[in-house]
Amino acid sequence: MKQVNLRAMIAIRFALLVLTVIFLISVASNILIKRQFEKYVEEKQNTQTEELAQNLSSQYDDAKDKWNLDYIHGLGMYALNEGFIIKLYDSDENVLWDAENHDMTLCHQMMNTITFRMQEERPDLDGDFVTHRFDLKQNQKVVGFLDVSYYSPYYLNENDFQFITTLNHILVAVGIVSLIGAIIMGLILANNITEPIVKTSEIAQQISNGHYDIRFHSDVRAKELQNLTEAMNQMAGSLEEQENLRKRLTSDVAHELRTPIANVSSYLEAIIEGVWEATPERLQVCYDELDRISKLVSDLERLQQVENENLNLQKTEVDLLELTKGVVRNFETKISQKNIYCLVDGTHVIALVDERKMQQVVTNLLSNAIKYSNDYEGICILVEDTGEQVVIQVKDDGPGIAKEDQKWIFERFYRTDKSRNRKTGGAGIGLAIVKTIVQAHDGQVKVESEEGHGSKFVVILPKSEKPV
């Protein structure tokens, strides 16, 4: 399919929209104005015939019983030029003045001209000349009769047709000017809309090439476009942070592998060259270092297994408070060895979860709390029922987590102790497993922490399946 420039598409469609609106308005205006004008012409024609009757009535002299035929002649010729053919009778219906008798050729010519013009311009009227009789009265006495012939229902003279033609020309001119203005406004509008989109597209292309530090700074006022640019900047920032996390992950894995491999290599090299004797103690050191590598590989396999198995959760109704107490009992020895205490409180909440995986969630959170707790500090675990959800909180009095680290601690191999202190140990996948399992249950996990004031991990789970 042929691709079209977005700017041109918007401009063209905007212009077509305006053109359509202008066309509809012009047609409606033309119809309404013409209808009103024709109604005005018809009423004017009726008014003129009545005025002719009134004027002619005044031309009878009752005292002399005589009509002013000179005035009647002038008025009759004037009326003929206006499209009215008059015939005047006295009270006995004797013809006093007839336009056809005075100028039959002019009357016929006028009638033919009007009929031809109206049939050509307005054939829908199906009009023709009609005659209307008026009683001419003075002092409530009929002094004569007037026959007025005219084109019915109305007729338009040359000036009237010229007015309608001019009106159509004006509407067309307004349409053309409006169309030109619409095209210009459409181009301006299209440019305002597409500029941030084009810029965002260019930035997206640069981001795809690995330039994650690029940002789009724009002052667009449209909310949707502003959201687009903000989303692009957020995506770039997230990718930049993910890239830094990936580099750190590579560095951490390399660090985890480099030290034990180097130790084993140096020990074995010294034993092979006869510098050292292969004593059980030295072989035990080699074994311990290899065991560290083995545990790292096992951690990776365990994380992969958790991610794969979460596609097939074996959900049953589980009392999460009892489950938590059971996990704590498994850690009684470690808790005692560190001279710390662990309190479990809350309500018995039944939730539909995978029991084995939820045990692993609580185990990982409790293991971290124990690992980072100092002697004589405490750990509190609270299980709450909020109605449709269950909340498990694991709080410790450890060193806390820096604000900049909190959004990354659930990523695999991320550890807040940059020096990878052997005291804490671990490969940094425990919280990644927690996040994976909780999300598989349509839940969420978050951390609330402040450096020097401990940490609180909060797991929020639905109590039952979501409706389909």
Side-chain angles (χ1 to χ4, degrees):
M1 182 181 294
K2 184 178 180 181
Q3 294 183 336
V4 182
N5 183 275
L6 180 60
R7 184 183 289 106
M9 181 186 299
I10 294 176
I12 292 173
R13 293 189 176 181
F14 182 79
L16 288 176
L17 175 62
V18 173
L19 179 62
T20 302
V21 173
I22 293 173
F23 174 77
L24 294 175
I25 294 176
S26 299
V27 171
S29 301
N30 184 277
I31 293 174
L32 292 175
I33 294 175
K34 183 183 290 186
R35 184 174 298 171
Q36 288 298 114
F37 180 72
E38 291 173 350
K39 183 179 180 181
Y40 159 77
V41 171
E42 184 176 0
E43 292 176 352
K44 178 183 177 183
Q45 183 172 268
N46 295 332
T47 301
Q48 286 178 315
T49 57
E50 293 175 357
E51 289 177 350
L52 281 173
Q54 292 176 1
N55 288 335
L56 289 174
S57 296
S58 65
Q59 300 308 309
Y60 174 74
D61 188 345
D62 186 44
K64 297 179 180 181
D65 189 22
K66 185 178 180 181
W67 290 85
N68 186 353
L69 295 180
D70 290 336
Y71 181 85
I72 293 172
H73 174 74
L75 183 62
M77 297 309 294
Y78 171 79
L80 181 62
N81 292 328
E82 291 296 316
F84 300 99
I85 302 173
I86 66 173
K87 183 183 289 188
L88 178 65
Y89 302 86
D90 61 14
S91 58
D92 296 327
E93 297 194 10
N94 297 314
V95 177
L96 298 175
W97 193 90
D98 187 353
E100 293 190 30
N101 291 338
H102 283 80
D103 198 336
M104 182 178 294
T105 303
L106 180 59
C107 287
H108 289 172
Q109 182 180 359
M110 184 271 296
M111 293 174 65
N112 291 334
T113 300
I114 292 176
T115 302
F116 176 77
R117 181 188 297 130
M118 293 302 295
Q119 288 180 349
E120 183 179 19
E121 297 291 340
R122 295 300 308 276
D124 55 298
L125 290 179
D126 193 24
D128 199 0
F129 271 84
V130 298
T131 300
H132 185 74
R133 170 161 287 196
F134 293 89
D135 294 338
L136 305 181
K137 297 180 180 181
Q138 280 190 3
N139 301 321
Q140 304 301 320
K141 176 185 175 182
V142 177
V143 297
F145 304 96
L146 176 66
D147 287 344
V148 182
S149 299
Y150 55 88
Y151 193 88
S152 179
Y154 60 85
Y155 84 94
L156 303 175
N157 58 32
E158 190 66 30
N159 291 332
D160 295 333
F161 281 114
Q162 184 64 37
F163 169 78
I164 294 176
T165 302
T166 302
L167 175 64
N168 292 333
H169 289 166
I170 291 174
L171 291 176
V172 171
V174 170
I176 293 174
V177 172
S178 301
L179 178 60
I180 295 174
I183 293 175
I184 295 174
M185 291 300 297
L187 290 173
I188 295 174
L189 176 64
N191 186 67
N192 291 337
I193 293 176
T194 58
E195 182 179 0
I197 295 177
V198 172
K199 185 66 176 177
T200 303
S201 177
E202 294 174 354
I203 291 176
Q205 183 64 39
Q206 295 185 51
I207 291 175
S208 67
N209 293 330
H211 302 287
Y212 303 123
D213 58 337
I214 192 169
R215 297 293 184 274
F216 182 20
H217 302 286
S218 175
D219 57 351
V220 292
R221 296 182 179 180
K223 182 178 179 181
E224 291 77 6
L225 295 178
Q226 183 66 32
N227 291 339
L228 174 63
T229 57
E230 290 177 356
M232 180 59 65
N233 289 337
Q234 291 174 1
M235 183 188 72
S238 177
L239 288 174
E240 183 178 17
E241 292 175 337
Q242 289 289 339
E243 177 65 12
N244 293 334
L245 185 61
R246 184 188 65 81
K247 292 178 179 178
R248 177 174 173 176
L249 169 62
T250 303
S251 174
D252 288 348
V253 173
H255 185 280
E256 289 288 337
L257 294 174
R258 183 186 305 110
T259 301
I261 291 176
N263 290 340
V264 172
S265 297
S266 61
Y267 271 64
L268 292 179
E269 183 179 2
I271 292 174
I272 291 172
E273 292 179 356
V275 177
W276 285 351
E277 182 181 353
T279 63
E281 293 78 9
R282 289 172 178 152
L283 291 176
Q284 182 64 43
V285 171
C286 293
Y287 176 82
D288 292 340
E289 295 298 330
L290 291 174
D291 186 55
R292 286 175 56 192
I293 298 176
S294 177
K295 287 181 178 179
L296 176 61
V297 175
S298 297
D299 287 341
L300 289 172
E301 291 177 343
R302 186 156 52 95
L303 178 59
Q304 183 182 16
Q305 181 183 6
V306 169
E307 291 175 340
N308 292 336
E309 288 181 353
N310 280 338
L311 298 177
N312 299 301
L313 296 176
Q314 303 297 322
K315 292 185 177 182
T316 57
E317 291 186 345
V318 178
D319 186 330
L320 293 180
L321 180 61
E322 290 298 326
L323 181 146
T324 302
K325 290 180 178 179
V327 173
V328 172
R329 285 194 291 269
N330 295 335
F331 281 88
E332 286 180 348
T333 302
K334 286 188 176 181
I335 292 173
S336 177
Q337 289 175 349
K338 293 201 68 171
N339 295 319
I340 60 177
Y341 64 89
C342 180
L343 299 178
V344 181
D345 194 10
T347 57
H348 292 275
V349 187
I350 305 299
L352 193 63
V353 296
D354 187 310
E355 182 175 7
R356 185 173 60 85
K357 289 184 171 56
M358 288 311 303
Q359 285 176 341
Q360 189 169 8
V361 168
V362 178
T363 296
N364 288 1
L365 293 178
L366 181 57
S367 175
N368 270 9
I370 294 173
K371 184 186 303 181
Y372 290 100
S373 294
N374 297 317
D375 291 347
Y376 308 108
E377 291 181 341
I379 299 171
C380 295
I381 303 178
L382 178 64
V383 180
E384 294 181 297
D385 185 355
T386 63
E388 295 183 356
Q389 296 176 322
V390 55
V391 178
I392 302 175
Q393 299 181 14
V394 179
K395 185 179 182 304
D396 63 64
D397 296 325
I401 303 171
K403 189 174 184 62
E404 63 270 16
D405 290 325
Q406 291 180 18
K407 61 181 178 180
W408 300 114
I409 59 173
F410 294 104
E411 301 297 331
R412 61 186 68 185
F413 293 103
Y414 192 90
R415 287 172 51 185
T416 58
D417 54 324
K418 307 295 191 296
S419 63
R420 308 196 67 81
N421 191 330
R422 290 295 146 234
K423 179 181 178 181
T424 58
I429 69 167
L431 292 179
I433 291 176
V434 169
K435 178 182 177 182
T436 301
I437 295 175
V438 171
Q439 287 182 342
H441 284 79
D442 296 320
Q444 57 178 317
V445 58
K446 56 185 180 180
V447 62
E448 299 173 10
S449 182
E450 184 178 351
E451 285 189 277
H453 296 83
S455 302
K456 179 170 70 174
F457 287 86
V458 181
V459 175
I460 304 173
L461 297 168
K463 292 171 64 176
S464 59
E465 295 279 4
K466 289 185 177 181
V468 178

